[in-house]
Amino acid sequence: MRCKVNILVWKNRVTQLLGVQYPLIQGGMAWVANATLAAAVSNGGGIGLIGAANMPPEILEQELIRARELTDKPFGLNIMLMSSTADAAMELAAKHRVPIVTTGAGSPGKVIERLKPLGTVVIPVIASVAQAKRVEKQGADAVVAEGTEAGGHIGDLTTMVLVPQIVDSVNIPVIAAGGVADGRGIAAAFSLGAEGVQIGTRMVCCSECTVHQNYKEAILKARDRSNVVTGRPTGHPVRCLKNKLSARFEELENAGASIDDIEKLGTGRLRAAVVDGDIEWGSVMAGQSAGMINDIKPAAEIIQTMFNEAADVISRLPHFEF
């Protein structure tokens, strides 16, 4: 006997909270997640994010205005709390009444206190049970539980073990991130108890994403062992694709180089990859799912295909009788 899956399966606390068709958030990737990408994802039925990162406030405000011009759907802003521009990003979110804000790399308390009274949905990205419990007490509306398979800055636990432990620890909705790039991953995330997914690397390879073509090609060429983690001695490890830069990081780390020297090597390297297309000495941040990505399609098509596949996967699961 086969189970029937209706589109209503995607109507849950996350879609209700975010006001979207699909329970999907696009990752707020620095230098990648701009208004063009965010609007494309939102128009495709998910939630697109603009990645504030270290963006100058005047540029970020232009991006927020541009997103409003490109979509009439809900979109969001990711604020990296360790950034020197985090407070300015928070105030711009307040000024422009951004519907959804995700946070990372720090305690979201002040963001929750500032933005929730304005009606903004605040969703911290977390990597441990302790963090999830803490932000729930602070008033977070949901959490993104991000496993170490994700690209960029990462934690230690895999998505497979992190998500169910977070689900068991909090009462707010949990959104799974890290290693999800197709419908099978979405179905797996829901099996673990998540009510939504955050997708990063797959969205880099959508036609609306404005990163340099070399960056996209590097992801398309990636295989299962093309990833590496650099910068562990700094306390802020980063997952990226192997290249000359990652090899140099490894040399410095093995030689016991100072944290200053390691951080100096990384300065400006993400921009070099994303904007200039330097995929040898630039930091090509990408998750382990890069090896699963083989094409470039419009964001809306990627989203619809993934959720159709997820519904099909679930519908084909056997019904066991005991």
Side-chain angles (χ1 to χ4, degrees):
M1 183 184 297
R2 302 292 183 183
C3 301
K4 298 291 185 180
V5 175
N6 188 281
I7 188 62
L8 291 177
V9 74
W10 310 127
K11 302 301 180 183
N12 60 18
R13 290 192 296 172
V14 169
T15 55
Q16 292 168 6
L17 179 67
L18 303 180
V20 289
Q21 179 180 0
Y22 298 109
L24 177 146
I25 297 177
Q26 161 240 312
M29 301 163 284
W31 286 102
V32 175
N34 59 13
T36 303
L37 176 59
V41 172
S42 289
N43 287 333
I47 289 293
L49 295 183
I50 296 170
N54 295 312
M55 195 183 300
E58 61 273 16
I59 302 299
L60 177 57
E61 184 161 34
Q62 292 175 12
E63 289 294 305
L64 292 172
I65 293 171
R66 178 64 174 155
R68 292 283 190 196
E69 295 171 346
L70 294 173
T71 184
D72 59 359
K73 302 293 196 304
F75 70 94
L77 175 67
N78 173 262
I79 300 176
M80 185 173 68
L81 296 170
M82 65 184 294
S83 170
S84 61
T85 61
D87 286 345
M90 179 176 65
E91 290 306 318
L92 284 171
K95 176 182 177 180
H96 291 274
R97 294 297 194 271
V98 176
I100 297 114
V101 166
T102 66
T103 66
S107 174
K110 62 182 179 181
V111 176
I112 293 171
E113 292 176 3
R114 178 72 176 96
L115 298 181
K116 277 200 68 172
L118 302 178
T120 299
V121 173
V122 181
I123 306 177
V125 179
I126 50 87
S128 73
V129 169
Q131 290 176 332
K133 288 181 176 179
R134 186 181 309 120
V135 300
E136 181 181 37
K137 289 180 180 179
Q138 291 175 312
D141 294 291
V143 291
V144 173
E146 185 176 71
T148 193
E149 299 94 327
H153 293 284
I154 56 169
D156 296 319
L157 298 178
T158 65
T159 304
M160 178 67 77
V161 299
L162 177 65
V163 171
Q165 292 185 75
I166 300 297
V167 169
D168 291 344
S169 301
V170 298
N171 294 313
I172 54 179
V174 176
I175 298 163
V180 181
D182 62 13
R184 294 170 297 181
I186 293 174
F190 271 68
S191 297
L192 295 174
E195 296 182 56
V197 292
Q198 178 173 282
I199 308 289
T201 305
R202 182 64 184 102
M203 289 304 173
V204 176
C205 287
C206 75
S207 54
E208 296 92 346
C209 183
T210 60
V211 303
H212 197 286
Q213 185 64 23
N214 290 354
Y215 199 110
K216 295 185 181 184
E217 291 295 334
I219 292 175
L220 295 178
K221 293 176 182 177
R223 296 295 177 261
D224 58 338
R225 296 181 62 82
S226 296
N227 257 228
V228 66
V229 176
T230 63
R232 289 197 187 278
T234 69
H236 303 289
V238 171
R239 184 176 298 285
C240 57
L241 297 184
K242 295 177 181 177
N243 60 8
K244 292 179 180 178
L245 176 64
S246 68
R248 181 56 182 154
F249 269 119
E250 185 176 8
E251 290 175 0
L252 288 179
E253 291 167 15
N254 289 340
S258 69
I259 292 177
D260 286 345
D261 285 342
I262 294 173
E263 291 181 340
K264 182 178 179 181
L265 176 63
T267 302
R269 299 296 182 172
L270 178 58
R271 183 191 187 283
V274 173
V275 178
D276 301 330
D278 185 352
I279 58 172
E280 289 298 337
W281 288 102
S283 182
V284 186
M285 294 186 186
Q288 290 183 319
S289 64
M292 302 164 57
I293 300 168
N294 303 304
D295 54 24
I296 298 173
K297 295 178 179 179
E301 183 177 345
I302 290 173
I303 295 169
Q304 184 175 19
T305 298
M306 286 195 297
F307 278 93
N308 286 345
E309 182 183 12
D312 183 59
V313 168
I314 295 171
S315 70
R316 289 187 287 105
L317 291 175
H319 176 72
F320 295 101
E321 294 183 0
F322 297 93

mmCIF file of all heavy atoms in Angstrom, residues 52 57 60-61 64 68 75-79 85-103 111 114-116 118-122:
data_model
loop_
_atom_site.group_PDB
_atom_site.id
_atom_site.type_symbol
_atom_site.label_atom_id
_atom_site.label_comp_id
_atom_site.label_asym_id
_atom_site.label_seq_id
_atom_site.Cartn_x
_atom_site.Cartn_y
_atom_site.Cartn_z
ATOM 1 N N ALA A 52 23.100 40.473 4.762
ATOM 2 C CA ALA A 52 23.688 41.759 5.132
ATOM 3 C C ALA A 52 25.197 41.650 5.307
ATOM 4 O O ALA A 52 25.944 42.528 4.856
ATOM 5 C CB ALA A 52 23.044 42.277 6.419
ATOM 6 N N PRO A 57 25.797 50.118 5.089
ATOM 7 C CA PRO A 57 24.363 50.390 5.252
ATOM 8 C C PRO A 57 23.703 51.025 4.035
ATOM 9 O O PRO A 57 22.569 50.679 3.697
ATOM 10 C CB PRO A 57 24.324 51.329 6.457
ATOM 11 C CG PRO A 57 25.550 50.978 7.241
ATOM 12 C CD PRO A 57 26.593 50.629 6.224
ATOM 13 N N LEU A 60 23.129 48.283 1.549
ATOM 14 C CA LEU A 60 22.080 47.384 2.020
ATOM 15 C C LEU A 60 20.700 48.005 1.839
ATOM 16 O O LEU A 60 19.750 47.323 1.430
ATOM 17 C CB LEU A 60 22.314 47.030 3.488
ATOM 18 C CG LEU A 60 21.251 46.134 4.148
ATOM 19 C CD1 LEU A 60 21.085 44.831 3.377
ATOM 20 C CD2 LEU A 60 21.622 45.864 5.598
ATOM 21 N N GLU A 61 20.580 49.291 2.129
ATOM 22 C CA GLU A 61 19.274 49.942 1.961
ATOM 23 C C GLU A 61 18.838 49.908 0.501
ATOM 24 O O GLU A 61 17.658 49.691 0.200
ATOM 25 C CB GLU A 61 19.319 51.380 2.470
ATOM 26 C CG GLU A 61 17.966 52.064 2.407
ATOM 27 C CD GLU A 61 17.868 53.292 3.296
ATOM 28 O OE1 GLU A 61 18.901 53.998 3.442
ATOM 29 O OE2 GLU A 61 16.773 53.540 3.829
ATOM 30 N N LEU A 64 17.426 46.473 -0.143
ATOM 31 C CA LEU A 64 16.094 46.292 0.424
ATOM 32 C C LEU A 64 15.031 46.971 -0.444
ATOM 33 O O LEU A 64 13.949 46.420 -0.680
ATOM 34 C CB LEU A 64 16.050 46.857 1.846
ATOM 35 C CG LEU A 64 16.880 46.111 2.894
ATOM 36 C CD1 LEU A 64 16.892 46.886 4.211
ATOM 37 C CD2 LEU A 64 16.361 44.701 3.111
ATOM 38 N N ARG A 68 11.912 45.114 -2.818
ATOM 39 C CA ARG A 68 10.507 45.524 -2.829
ATOM 40 C C ARG A 68 10.018 45.767 -4.258
ATOM 41 O O ARG A 68 8.845 45.531 -4.575
ATOM 42 C CB ARG A 68 10.329 46.801 -2.024
ATOM 43 C CG ARG A 68 10.539 46.667 -0.534
ATOM 44 C CD ARG A 68 9.357 46.037 0.158
ATOM 45 N NE ARG A 68 9.476 46.129 1.608
ATOM 46 C CZ ARG A 68 8.760 45.423 2.455
ATOM 47 N NH1 ARG A 68 7.871 44.569 1.999
ATOM 48 N NH2 ARG A 68 8.921 45.558 3.761
ATOM 49 N N PHE A 75 9.908 38.592 1.914
ATOM 50 C CA PHE A 75 11.322 38.270 1.781
ATOM 51 C C PHE A 75 11.989 38.601 3.110
ATOM 52 O O PHE A 75 11.357 39.128 4.023
ATOM 53 C CB PHE A 75 11.984 39.026 0.625
ATOM 54 C CG PHE A 75 12.117 40.510 0.875
ATOM 55 C CD1 PHE A 75 13.288 41.035 1.414
ATOM 56 C CD2 PHE A 75 11.077 41.382 0.589
ATOM 57 C CE1 PHE A 75 13.414 42.406 1.655
ATOM 58 C CE2 PHE A 75 11.184 42.739 0.826
ATOM 59 C CZ PHE A 75 12.355 43.256 1.362
ATOM 60 N N GLY A 76 13.254 38.277 3.228
ATOM 61 C CA GLY A 76 13.907 38.485 4.513
ATOM 62 C C GLY A 76 15.320 39.022 4.404
ATOM 63 O O GLY A 76 15.858 39.238 3.306
ATOM 64 N N LEU A 77 15.911 39.224 5.583
ATOM 65 C CA LEU A 77 17.271 39.745 5.704
ATOM 66 C C LEU A 77 18.024 38.878 6.702
ATOM 67 O O LEU A 77 17.511 38.576 7.780
ATOM 68 C CB LEU A 77 17.231 41.190 6.203
ATOM 69 C CG LEU A 77 18.572 41.875 6.519
ATOM 70 C CD1 LEU A 77 19.379 42.074 5.242
ATOM 71 C CD2 LEU A 77 18.317 43.212 7.219
ATOM 72 N N ASN A 78 19.222 38.471 6.345
ATOM 73 C CA ASN A 78 20.081 37.752 7.283
ATOM 74 C C ASN A 78 21.083 38.725 7.872
ATOM 75 O O ASN A 78 21.797 39.420 7.144
ATOM 76 C CB ASN A 78 20.820 36.602 6.593
ATOM 77 C CG ASN A 78 21.836 35.946 7.514
ATOM 78 O OD1 ASN A 78 23.028 36.239 7.463
ATOM 79 N ND2 ASN A 78 21.364 35.073 8.383
ATOM 80 N N ILE A 79 21.135 38.785 9.207
ATOM 81 C CA ILE A 79 22.057 39.676 9.905
ATOM 82 C C ILE A 79 23.133 38.847 10.587
ATOM 83 O O ILE A 79 22.826 37.990 11.423
ATOM 84 C CB ILE A 79 21.318 40.534 10.951
ATOM 85 C CG1 ILE A 79 20.247 41.399 10.268
ATOM 86 C CG2 ILE A 79 22.311 41.420 11.704
ATOM 87 C CD1 ILE A 79 19.407 42.218 11.243
ATOM 88 N N THR A 85 28.585 46.030 11.150
ATOM 89 C CA THR A 85 27.425 46.723 10.582
ATOM 90 C C THR A 85 26.100 46.092 11.022
ATOM 91 O O THR A 85 25.043 46.454 10.493
ATOM 92 C CB THR A 85 27.493 46.720 9.046
ATOM 93 O OG1 THR A 85 27.490 45.357 8.581
ATOM 94 C CG2 THR A 85 28.750 47.411 8.546
ATOM 95 N N ALA A 86 26.145 45.172 11.990
ATOM 96 C CA ALA A 86 24.937 44.449 12.406
ATOM 97 C C ALA A 86 23.862 45.391 12.949
ATOM 98 O O ALA A 86 22.673 45.256 12.625
ATOM 99 C CB ALA A 86 25.286 43.390 13.436
ATOM 100 N N ASP A 87 24.256 46.351 13.776
ATOM 101 C CA ASP A 87 23.270 47.269 14.345
ATOM 102 C C ASP A 87 22.604 48.105 13.259
ATOM 103 O O ASP A 87 21.386 48.363 13.300
ATOM 104 C CB ASP A 87 23.932 48.186 15.380
ATOM 105 C CG ASP A 87 24.259 47.465 16.675
ATOM 106 O OD1 ASP A 87 23.732 46.355 16.894
ATOM 107 O OD2 ASP A 87 25.056 48.005 17.469
ATOM 108 N N ALA A 88 23.401 48.537 12.289
ATOM 109 C CA ALA A 88 22.842 49.324 11.185
ATOM 110 C C ALA A 88 21.872 48.478 10.369
ATOM 111 O O ALA A 88 20.807 48.960 9.943
ATOM 112 C CB ALA A 88 23.972 49.849 10.295
ATOM 113 N N ALA A 89 22.209 47.201 10.151
ATOM 114 C CA ALA A 89 21.327 46.305 9.410
ATOM 115 C C ALA A 89 20.007 46.114 10.158
ATOM 116 O O ALA A 89 18.924 46.095 9.556
ATOM 117 C CB ALA A 89 22.017 44.964 9.195
ATOM 118 N N MET A 90 20.098 45.987 11.474
ATOM 119 C CA MET A 90 18.895 45.832 12.297
ATOM 120 C C MET A 90 17.992 47.061 12.171
ATOM 121 O O MET A 90 16.767 46.928 12.035
ATOM 122 C CB MET A 90 19.293 45.608 13.751
ATOM 123 C CG MET A 90 18.123 45.453 14.706
ATOM 124 S SD MET A 90 18.659 45.063 16.393
ATOM 125 C CE MET A 90 19.543 46.593 16.828
ATOM 126 N N GLU A 91 18.588 48.240 12.196
ATOM 127 C CA GLU A 91 17.789 49.459 12.088
ATOM 128 C C GLU A 91 17.172 49.613 10.701
ATOM 129 O O GLU A 91 16.053 50.120 10.559
ATOM 130 C CB GLU A 91 18.638 50.677 12.442
ATOM 131 C CG GLU A 91 19.005 50.751 13.910
ATOM 132 C CD GLU A 91 17.786 50.677 14.831
ATOM 133 O OE1 GLU A 91 16.757 51.321 14.508
ATOM 134 O OE2 GLU A 91 17.860 49.970 15.858
ATOM 135 N N LEU A 92 17.878 49.167 9.687
ATOM 136 C CA LEU A 92 17.308 49.208 8.341
ATOM 137 C C LEU A 92 16.150 48.223 8.216
ATOM 138 O O LEU A 92 15.153 48.497 7.544
ATOM 139 C CB LEU A 92 18.386 48.896 7.303
ATOM 140 C CG LEU A 92 19.374 50.032 7.025
ATOM 141 C CD1 LEU A 92 20.522 49.539 6.151
ATOM 142 C CD2 LEU A 92 18.666 51.212 6.366
ATOM 143 N N ALA A 93 16.274 47.067 8.886
ATOM 144 C CA ALA A 93 15.171 46.106 8.894
ATOM 145 C C ALA A 93 13.944 46.722 9.550
ATOM 146 O O ALA A 93 12.802 46.517 9.106
ATOM 147 C CB ALA A 93 15.587 44.834 9.623
ATOM 148 N N ALA A 94 14.185 47.498 10.612
ATOM 149 C CA ALA A 94 13.081 48.179 11.288
ATOM 150 C C ALA A 94 12.484 49.268 10.397
ATOM 151 O O ALA A 94 11.255 49.374 10.262
ATOM 152 C CB ALA A 94 13.573 48.779 12.602
ATOM 153 N N LYS A 95 13.333 50.058 9.794
ATOM 154 C CA LYS A 95 12.876 51.164 8.947
ATOM 155 C C LYS A 95 12.025 50.678 7.786
ATOM 156 O O LYS A 95 10.985 51.281 7.457
ATOM 157 C CB LYS A 95 14.085 51.944 8.428
ATOM 158 C CG LYS A 95 13.742 53.058 7.452
ATOM 159 C CD LYS A 95 15.003 53.748 6.946
ATOM 160 C CE LYS A 95 14.669 54.816 5.910
ATOM 161 N NZ LYS A 95 15.902 55.491 5.398
ATOM 162 N N HIS A 96 12.457 49.580 7.163
ATOM 163 C CA HIS A 96 11.778 49.082 5.970
ATOM 164 C C HIS A 96 10.789 47.960 6.279
ATOM 165 O O HIS A 96 10.243 47.348 5.349
ATOM 166 C CB HIS A 96 12.807 48.621 4.935
ATOM 167 C CG HIS A 96 13.590 49.752 4.346
ATOM 168 N ND1 HIS A 96 13.141 50.482 3.264
ATOM 169 C CD2 HIS A 96 14.789 50.300 4.707
ATOM 170 C CE1 HIS A 96 14.034 51.427 2.972
ATOM 171 N NE2 HIS A 96 15.038 51.334 3.822
ATOM 172 N N ARG A 97 10.573 47.703 7.575
ATOM 173 C CA ARG A 97 9.607 46.694 8.000
ATOM 174 C C ARG A 97 9.827 45.373 7.252
ATOM 175 O O ARG A 97 8.902 44.806 6.655
ATOM 176 C CB ARG A 97 8.172 47.181 7.787
ATOM 177 C CG ARG A 97 7.772 48.364 8.672
ATOM 178 C CD ARG A 97 7.813 47.960 10.163
ATOM 179 N NE ARG A 97 7.126 48.929 11.016
ATOM 180 C CZ ARG A 97 7.713 50.000 11.572
ATOM 181 N NH1 ARG A 97 9.001 50.230 11.337
ATOM 182 N NH2 ARG A 97 7.033 50.819 12.339
ATOM 183 N N VAL A 98 11.057 44.903 7.294
ATOM 184 C CA VAL A 98 11.383 43.625 6.644
ATOM 185 C C VAL A 98 10.601 42.519 7.352
ATOM 186 O O VAL A 98 10.667 42.398 8.584
ATOM 187 C CB VAL A 98 12.894 43.353 6.712
ATOM 188 C CG1 VAL A 98 13.220 41.991 6.121
ATOM 189 C CG2 VAL A 98 13.653 44.449 5.964
ATOM 190 N N PRO A 99 9.863 41.694 6.624
ATOM 191 C CA PRO A 99 8.970 40.717 7.259
ATOM 192 C C PRO A 99 9.678 39.624 8.058
ATOM 193 O O PRO A 99 9.183 39.190 9.094
ATOM 194 C CB PRO A 99 8.218 40.097 6.074
ATOM 195 C CG PRO A 99 8.391 41.054 4.953
ATOM 196 C CD PRO A 99 9.707 41.718 5.163
ATOM 197 N N ILE A 100 10.836 39.170 7.549
ATOM 198 C CA ILE A 100 11.539 38.053 8.185
ATOM 199 C C ILE A 100 13.010 38.399 8.340
ATOM 200 O O ILE A 100 13.640 38.921 7.405
ATOM 201 C CB ILE A 100 11.410 36.757 7.353
ATOM 202 C CG1 ILE A 100 9.931 36.325 7.271
ATOM 203 C CG2 ILE A 100 12.263 35.632 7.922
ATOM 204 C CD1 ILE A 100 9.370 36.407 5.901
ATOM 205 N N VAL A 101 13.569 38.124 9.505
ATOM 206 C CA VAL A 101 15.001 38.312 9.731
ATOM 207 C C VAL A 101 15.573 37.038 10.318
ATOM 208 O O VAL A 101 15.032 36.489 11.290
ATOM 209 C CB VAL A 101 15.273 39.498 10.689
ATOM 210 C CG1 VAL A 101 16.711 39.472 11.200
ATOM 211 C CG2 VAL A 101 15.007 40.821 9.985
ATOM 212 N N THR A 102 16.642 36.547 9.723
ATOM 213 C CA THR A 102 17.396 35.445 10.314
ATOM 214 C C THR A 102 18.702 36.025 10.844
ATOM 215 O O THR A 102 19.204 37.035 10.342
ATOM 216 C CB THR A 102 17.686 34.322 9.305
ATOM 217 O OG1 THR A 102 18.567 34.805 8.271
ATOM 218 C CG2 THR A 102 16.402 33.808 8.671
ATOM 219 N N THR A 103 19.245 35.371 11.874
ATOM 220 C CA THR A 103 20.479 35.863 12.473
ATOM 221 C C THR A 103 21.484 34.733 12.606
ATOM 222 O O THR A 103 21.122 33.555 12.659
ATOM 223 C CB THR A 103 20.226 36.452 13.873
ATOM 224 O OG1 THR A 103 19.810 35.399 14.774
ATOM 225 C CG2 THR A 103 19.158 37.532 13.838
ATOM 226 N N VAL A 111 18.116 41.828 18.604
ATOM 227 C CA VAL A 111 17.339 41.826 17.363
ATOM 228 C C VAL A 111 15.888 41.467 17.656
ATOM 229 O O VAL A 111 14.953 42.088 17.136
ATOM 230 C CB VAL A 111 17.947 40.839 16.345
ATOM 231 C CG1 VAL A 111 17.081 40.756 15.093
ATOM 232 C CG2 VAL A 111 19.361 41.257 15.974
ATOM 233 N N ARG A 114 14.169 44.374 19.384
ATOM 234 C CA ARG A 114 13.953 45.535 18.511
ATOM 235 C C ARG A 114 12.904 45.263 17.444
ATOM 236 O O ARG A 114 12.061 46.140 17.154
ATOM 237 C CB ARG A 114 15.275 45.920 17.840
ATOM 238 C CG ARG A 114 15.175 47.090 16.848
ATOM 239 C CD ARG A 114 14.966 48.392 17.587
ATOM 240 N NE ARG A 114 14.958 49.530 16.678
ATOM 241 C CZ ARG A 114 13.856 50.085 16.173
ATOM 242 N NH1 ARG A 114 12.661 49.600 16.495
ATOM 243 N NH2 ARG A 114 13.938 51.123 15.362
ATOM 244 N N LEU A 115 12.924 44.078 16.851
ATOM 245 C CA LEU A 115 12.128 43.845 15.652
ATOM 246 C C LEU A 115 10.805 43.124 15.876
ATOM 247 O O LEU A 115 9.838 43.363 15.144
ATOM 248 C CB LEU A 115 12.956 43.076 14.619
ATOM 249 C CG LEU A 115 14.217 43.789 14.118
ATOM 250 C CD1 LEU A 115 14.930 42.934 13.089
ATOM 251 C CD2 LEU A 115 13.883 45.154 13.531
ATOM 252 N N LYS A 116 10.722 42.244 16.861
ATOM 253 C CA LYS A 116 9.468 41.512 17.058
ATOM 254 C C LYS A 116 8.283 42.431 17.356
ATOM 255 O O LYS A 116 7.182 42.197 16.843
ATOM 256 C CB LYS A 116 9.618 40.458 18.157
ATOM 257 C CG LYS A 116 10.240 39.158 17.658
ATOM 258 C CD LYS A 116 9.949 37.991 18.590
ATOM 259 C CE LYS A 116 8.487 37.608 18.579
ATOM 260 N NZ LYS A 116 8.213 36.365 19.337
ATOM 261 N N LEU A 118 7.647 45.082 16.054
ATOM 262 C CA LEU A 118 7.253 45.679 14.786
ATOM 263 C C LEU A 118 6.556 44.671 13.875
ATOM 264 O O LEU A 118 6.140 45.016 12.767
ATOM 265 C CB LEU A 118 8.489 46.240 14.075
ATOM 266 C CG LEU A 118 9.295 47.291 14.844
ATOM 267 C CD1 LEU A 118 10.513 47.724 14.036
ATOM 268 C CD2 LEU A 118 8.421 48.492 15.194
ATOM 269 N N GLY A 119 6.472 43.413 14.329
ATOM 270 C CA GLY A 119 5.834 42.378 13.534
ATOM 271 C C GLY A 119 6.788 41.525 12.726
ATOM 272 O O GLY A 119 6.353 40.650 11.963
ATOM 273 N N THR A 120 8.092 41.743 12.873
ATOM 274 C CA THR A 120 9.086 40.955 12.146
ATOM 275 C C THR A 120 9.216 39.568 12.758
ATOM 276 O O THR A 120 9.279 39.421 13.980
ATOM 277 C CB THR A 120 10.460 41.655 12.173
ATOM 278 O OG1 THR A 120 10.351 42.926 11.552
ATOM 279 C CG2 THR A 120 11.515 40.827 11.443
ATOM 280 N N VAL A 121 9.257 38.566 11.909
ATOM 281 C CA VAL A 121 9.520 37.194 12.342
ATOM 282 C C VAL A 121 11.029 37.029 12.454
ATOM 283 O O VAL A 121 11.756 37.271 11.487
ATOM 284 C CB VAL A 121 8.943 36.175 11.338
ATOM 285 C CG1 VAL A 121 9.367 34.755 11.700
ATOM 286 C CG2 VAL A 121 7.425 36.286 11.273
ATOM 287 N N VAL A 122 11.524 36.628 13.626
ATOM 288 C CA VAL A 122 12.960 36.500 13.849
ATOM 289 C C VAL A 122 13.322 35.023 14.028
ATOM 290 O O VAL A 122 12.779 34.339 14.904
ATOM 291 C CB VAL A 122 13.414 37.297 15.087
ATOM 292 C CG1 VAL A 122 14.928 37.158 15.274
ATOM 293 C CG2 VAL A 122 13.028 38.766 14.938
#
